[in-house]
Amino acid sequence: MCTALGLVAALGLAACGGTSLSSAAKIEVTAARSPVPASPTVGAVYLTIKNDSSQPDVLLSATSNVATQTMLHNNVTNGITETMVPAGPVTIGPGKTLVLTPGGYHLMLMNINQHLAVGNTIHLTLDFERAGQINVAVPVVSILAGASEDTMPANMKMP
């Protein structure tokens, strides 16, 4: 009964020019994983973010329970050198997907404050402009679970 009343109220707001159900922030996060860090203090998180709404949303920031700083980075190629650089807020268009992968956008875990091993879970919070905070459980996986993708190229440099 309460659910039906809530739906009727939301439809009433939409009909009167209030918030439309179709423009509600709908962010889906899938395929989250973090390879066991090669360094005890720096790691990465890869995942897929899909914006299922009719409006753009912006990934503003991220935090985690295992690092003092969690930053969105992107890889930039300049000639034969590839460098990881901090990436500002990233807009995800309506119906679009942002894939965080090795060699592209990814989340860096800086100053990791605990030992991470296969089977551990990292608790990540993604902060979006419209969708707000989304909590994600990120499994720590073997670096061999995609070794061809999860290794840093020899010409990669961190600033």
Side-chain angles (χ1 to χ4, degrees):
M1 175 92 175
C2 288
T3 303
L5 288 175
L7 181 57
V8 169
L11 289 173
L13 280 174
C16 295
T19 302
S20 163
L21 291 177
S22 64
S23 68
K26 299 175 199 162
I27 295 291
E28 179 183 2
V29 180
T30 58
R33 71 218 181 273
S34 179
V36 172
S39 162
T41 60
V42 179
V45 172
Y46 308 113
L47 47 82
T48 300
I49 303 169
K50 184 170 185 191
N51 180 358
D52 279 329
S53 73
S54 62
Q55 299 291 320
D57 207 340
V58 180
L59 175 58
L60 300 170
S61 63
T63 57
S64 76
N65 67 321
V66 300
T68 60
Q69 191 172 28
T70 303
M71 298 176 60
L72 182 65
H73 277 188
N74 194 10
N75 291 356
V76 176
T77 302
N78 185 7
I80 61 168
T81 303
E82 190 169 334
T83 306
M84 276 189 269
V85 296
V90 175
T91 300
I92 306 166
K96 300 295 183 184
T97 300
L98 174 65
V99 181
L100 280 61
T101 61
Y105 283 107
H106 56 281
L107 292 170
M108 289 296 299
L109 303 172
M110 311 292 281
N111 303 313
I112 294 174
N113 54 29
Q114 66 186 60
H115 175 75
L116 295 176
V118 172
N120 291 152
T121 299
I122 297 168
H123 299 284
L124 185 70
T125 301
L126 302 175
D127 189 23
F128 290 89
E129 185 174 79
R130 295 185 67 245
Q133 292 187 335
I134 297 177
N135 295 315
V136 182
V138 180
V140 177
V141 299
S142 167
I143 194 146
L144 298 177
S148 63
E149 296 177 353
D150 291 337
T151 55
M152 185 181 294
N155 61 344
M156 173 77 67
K157 295 182 182 179
M158 288 181 50

PDB file of all heavy atoms in Angstrom, residues 41-56:
ATOM      1  N   THR A  41      52.173  -0.089  -1.132  1.00  0.00           N
ATOM      2  CA  THR A  41      51.508   1.183  -0.823  1.00  0.00           C
ATOM      3  C   THR A  41      50.666   1.768  -1.956  1.00  0.00           C
ATOM      4  O   THR A  41      49.978   2.759  -1.757  1.00  0.00           O
ATOM      5  CB  THR A  41      52.549   2.251  -0.412  1.00  0.00           C
ATOM      6  OG1 THR A  41      53.461   2.449  -1.491  1.00  0.00           O
ATOM      7  CG2 THR A  41      53.289   1.832   0.852  1.00  0.00           C
ATOM      8  N   VAL A  42      50.703   1.158  -3.153  1.00  0.00           N
ATOM      9  CA  VAL A  42      49.965   1.688  -4.299  1.00  0.00           C
ATOM     10  C   VAL A  42      49.266   0.537  -5.017  1.00  0.00           C
ATOM     11  O   VAL A  42      49.874  -0.490  -5.293  1.00  0.00           O
ATOM     12  CB  VAL A  42      50.898   2.412  -5.295  1.00  0.00           C
ATOM     13  CG1 VAL A  42      50.131   2.937  -6.490  1.00  0.00           C
ATOM     14  CG2 VAL A  42      51.639   3.549  -4.612  1.00  0.00           C
ATOM     15  N   GLY A  43      47.985   0.730  -5.327  1.00  0.00           N
ATOM     16  CA  GLY A  43      47.231  -0.280  -6.057  1.00  0.00           C
ATOM     17  C   GLY A  43      46.259   0.387  -7.007  1.00  0.00           C
ATOM     18  O   GLY A  43      46.228   1.616  -7.143  1.00  0.00           O
ATOM     19  N   ALA A  44      45.448  -0.421  -7.671  1.00  0.00           N
ATOM     20  CA  ALA A  44      44.486   0.098  -8.640  1.00  0.00           C
ATOM     21  C   ALA A  44      43.164  -0.651  -8.528  1.00  0.00           C
ATOM     22  O   ALA A  44      43.125  -1.802  -8.103  1.00  0.00           O
ATOM     23  CB  ALA A  44      45.036  -0.038 -10.056  1.00  0.00           C
ATOM     24  N   VAL A  45      42.102   0.034  -8.922  1.00  0.00           N
ATOM     25  CA  VAL A  45      40.775  -0.567  -8.988  1.00  0.00           C
ATOM     26  C   VAL A  45      40.251  -0.340 -10.395  1.00  0.00           C
ATOM     27  O   VAL A  45      40.362   0.753 -10.946  1.00  0.00           O
ATOM     28  CB  VAL A  45      39.805   0.065  -7.960  1.00  0.00           C
ATOM     29  CG1 VAL A  45      38.378  -0.425  -8.182  1.00  0.00           C
ATOM     30  CG2 VAL A  45      40.260  -0.227  -6.541  1.00  0.00           C
ATOM     31  N   TYR A  46      39.680  -1.398 -10.966  1.00  0.00           N
ATOM     32  CA  TYR A  46      39.068  -1.337 -12.280  1.00  0.00           C
ATOM     33  C   TYR A  46      37.595  -1.721 -12.128  1.00  0.00           C
ATOM     34  O   TYR A  46      37.258  -2.598 -11.338  1.00  0.00           O
ATOM     35  CB  TYR A  46      39.775  -2.296 -13.253  1.00  0.00           C
ATOM     36  CG  TYR A  46      41.264  -2.103 -13.277  1.00  0.00           C
ATOM     37  CD1 TYR A  46      42.129  -3.081 -12.800  1.00  0.00           C
ATOM     38  CD2 TYR A  46      41.815  -0.924 -13.768  1.00  0.00           C
ATOM     39  CE1 TYR A  46      43.505  -2.896 -12.814  1.00  0.00           C
ATOM     40  CE2 TYR A  46      43.187  -0.724 -13.788  1.00  0.00           C
ATOM     41  CZ  TYR A  46      44.026  -1.720 -13.308  1.00  0.00           C
ATOM     42  OH  TYR A  46      45.384  -1.523 -13.317  1.00  0.00           O
ATOM     43  N   LEU A  47      36.727  -1.074 -12.892  1.00  0.00           N
ATOM     44  CA  LEU A  47      35.300  -1.370 -12.826  1.00  0.00           C
ATOM     45  C   LEU A  47      34.593  -0.730 -13.999  1.00  0.00           C
ATOM     46  O   LEU A  47      35.201   0.000 -14.788  1.00  0.00           O
ATOM     47  CB  LEU A  47      34.695  -0.895 -11.495  1.00  0.00           C
ATOM     48  CG  LEU A  47      35.019   0.519 -11.001  1.00  0.00           C
ATOM     49  CD1 LEU A  47      34.154   1.560 -11.658  1.00  0.00           C
ATOM     50  CD2 LEU A  47      34.827   0.577  -9.498  1.00  0.00           C
ATOM     51  N   THR A  48      33.311  -0.999 -14.130  1.00  0.00           N
ATOM     52  CA  THR A  48      32.497  -0.432 -15.190  1.00  0.00           C
ATOM     53  C   THR A  48      31.345   0.339 -14.563  1.00  0.00           C
ATOM     54  O   THR A  48      30.686  -0.161 -13.655  1.00  0.00           O
ATOM     55  CB  THR A  48      31.958  -1.557 -16.104  1.00  0.00           C
ATOM     56  OG1 THR A  48      33.074  -2.246 -16.681  1.00  0.00           O
ATOM     57  CG2 THR A  48      31.083  -0.999 -17.215  1.00  0.00           C
ATOM     58  N   ILE A  49      31.128   1.561 -15.045  1.00  0.00           N
ATOM     59  CA  ILE A  49      30.045   2.421 -14.548  1.00  0.00           C
ATOM     60  C   ILE A  49      29.125   2.717 -15.722  1.00  0.00           C
ATOM     61  O   ILE A  49      29.556   3.260 -16.737  1.00  0.00           O
ATOM     62  CB  ILE A  49      30.598   3.752 -13.992  1.00  0.00           C
ATOM     63  CG1 ILE A  49      31.607   3.497 -12.882  1.00  0.00           C
ATOM     64  CG2 ILE A  49      29.448   4.633 -13.519  1.00  0.00           C
ATOM     65  CD1 ILE A  49      32.387   4.738 -12.469  1.00  0.00           C
ATOM     66  N   LYS A  50      27.843   2.356 -15.573  1.00  0.00           N
ATOM     67  CA  LYS A  50      26.856   2.630 -16.620  1.00  0.00           C
ATOM     68  C   LYS A  50      25.846   3.634 -16.098  1.00  0.00           C
ATOM     69  O   LYS A  50      25.297   3.471 -15.019  1.00  0.00           O
ATOM     70  CB  LYS A  50      26.147   1.359 -17.061  1.00  0.00           C
ATOM     71  CG  LYS A  50      25.189   1.626 -18.202  1.00  0.00           C
ATOM     72  CD  LYS A  50      24.651   0.387 -18.825  1.00  0.00           C
ATOM     73  CE  LYS A  50      23.805   0.811 -20.029  1.00  0.00           C
ATOM     74  NZ  LYS A  50      23.037  -0.280 -20.549  1.00  0.00           N
ATOM     75  N   ASN A  51      25.611   4.671 -16.879  1.00  0.00           N
ATOM     76  CA  ASN A  51      24.620   5.686 -16.553  1.00  0.00           C
ATOM     77  C   ASN A  51      23.325   5.333 -17.289  1.00  0.00           C
ATOM     78  O   ASN A  51      23.201   5.556 -18.481  1.00  0.00           O
ATOM     79  CB  ASN A  51      25.112   7.072 -16.970  1.00  0.00           C
ATOM     80  CG  ASN A  51      24.106   8.166 -16.651  1.00  0.00           C
ATOM     81  OD1 ASN A  51      23.026   7.904 -16.144  1.00  0.00           O
ATOM     82  ND2 ASN A  51      24.471   9.390 -16.961  1.00  0.00           N
ATOM     83  N   ASP A  52      22.373   4.748 -16.560  1.00  0.00           N
ATOM     84  CA  ASP A  52      21.107   4.320 -17.155  1.00  0.00           C
ATOM     85  C   ASP A  52      20.028   5.395 -17.075  1.00  0.00           C
ATOM     86  O   ASP A  52      18.853   5.091 -17.196  1.00  0.00           O
ATOM     87  CB  ASP A  52      20.603   3.047 -16.462  1.00  0.00           C
ATOM     88  CG  ASP A  52      21.289   1.800 -16.981  1.00  0.00           C
ATOM     89  OD1 ASP A  52      21.659   1.776 -18.168  1.00  0.00           O
ATOM     90  OD2 ASP A  52      21.455   0.851 -16.203  1.00  0.00           O
ATOM     91  N   SER A  53      20.413   6.643 -16.852  1.00  0.00           N
ATOM     92  CA  SER A  53      19.407   7.702 -16.754  1.00  0.00           C
ATOM     93  C   SER A  53      19.373   8.518 -18.044  1.00  0.00           C
ATOM     94  O   SER A  53      20.177   8.308 -18.950  1.00  0.00           O
ATOM     95  CB  SER A  53      19.696   8.611 -15.552  1.00  0.00           C
ATOM     96  OG  SER A  53      20.807   9.438 -15.822  1.00  0.00           O
ATOM     97  N   SER A  54      18.450   9.464 -18.091  1.00  0.00           N
ATOM     98  CA  SER A  54      18.326  10.313 -19.273  1.00  0.00           C
ATOM     99  C   SER A  54      19.127  11.610 -19.137  1.00  0.00           C
ATOM    100  O   SER A  54      19.063  12.461 -20.009  1.00  0.00           O
ATOM    101  CB  SER A  54      16.844  10.643 -19.514  1.00  0.00           C
ATOM    102  OG  SER A  54      16.329  11.360 -18.400  1.00  0.00           O
ATOM    103  N   GLN A  55      19.886  11.740 -18.053  1.00  0.00           N
ATOM    104  CA  GLN A  55      20.704  12.926 -17.803  1.00  0.00           C
ATOM    105  C   GLN A  55      22.158  12.520 -17.583  1.00  0.00           C
ATOM    106  O   GLN A  55      22.424  11.433 -17.068  1.00  0.00           O
ATOM    107  CB  GLN A  55      20.211  13.655 -16.540  1.00  0.00           C
ATOM    108  CG  GLN A  55      18.785  14.149 -16.633  1.00  0.00           C
ATOM    109  CD  GLN A  55      18.654  15.284 -17.637  1.00  0.00           C
ATOM    110  OE1 GLN A  55      19.502  16.148 -17.723  1.00  0.00           O
ATOM    111  NE2 GLN A  55      17.572  15.263 -18.410  1.00  0.00           N
ATOM    112  N   PRO A  56      23.103  13.375 -17.923  1.00  0.00           N
ATOM    113  CA  PRO A  56      24.506  13.056 -17.609  1.00  0.00           C
ATOM    114  C   PRO A  56      24.718  13.062 -16.107  1.00  0.00           C
ATOM    115  O   PRO A  56      23.979  13.700 -15.357  1.00  0.00           O
ATOM    116  CB  PRO A  56      25.297  14.189 -18.278  1.00  0.00           C
ATOM    117  CG  PRO A  56      24.320  15.273 -18.545  1.00  0.00           C
ATOM    118  CD  PRO A  56      22.957  14.670 -18.584  1.00  0.00           C
TER     119      PRO A  56
END
